[in-house]
Amino acid sequence: MSGDSVTCPHCRHEIPMTDGEVLQGHVTYWGQERITCLDCPKCEREVFLQEYVRRWWTACRTPQEASAL
């Protein structure tokens, strides 16, 4: 698992998690506490997903300083 893909637990195929149209209902803004299911595009078996959302912020003195991060 990485930030932009998951691995099918059945066939080990990397499923990209970046296509918002395909993943509508699986990807949320806040990270809903629910399990969703999709079919692996390779082996067509069910893959159950639990979404986690992590955010962080930095504070800077100027917009230029913030954009340099």
Side-chain angles (χ1 to χ4, degrees):
M1 178 186 74
S2 73
D4 48 2
S5 70
V6 295
T7 303
C8 173
H10 306 288
C11 71
R12 311 307 298 163
H13 175 70
E14 285 290 314
I15 303 170
M17 299 299 289
T18 54
D19 188 341
E21 189 172 313
V22 171
L23 297 169
Q24 190 172 15
H26 301 285
V27 179
T28 65
Y29 185 77
W30 294 110
Q32 305 299 322
E33 292 186 16
R34 63 187 173 93
I35 305 294
T36 61
C37 178
L38 62 79
D39 292 334
C40 173
K42 184 175 180 184
C43 71
E44 300 180 353
R45 293 174 76 181
E46 290 182 325
V47 177
F48 294 91
L49 303 172
Q50 171 67 56
E51 178 188 33
Y52 298 93
V53 175
R54 188 174 129 197
R55 291 187 175 78
W56 65 94
W57 291 262
T58 58
C60 299
R61 294 170 290 203
T62 65
Q64 295 79 12
E65 189 177 271
S67 68
L69 297 175

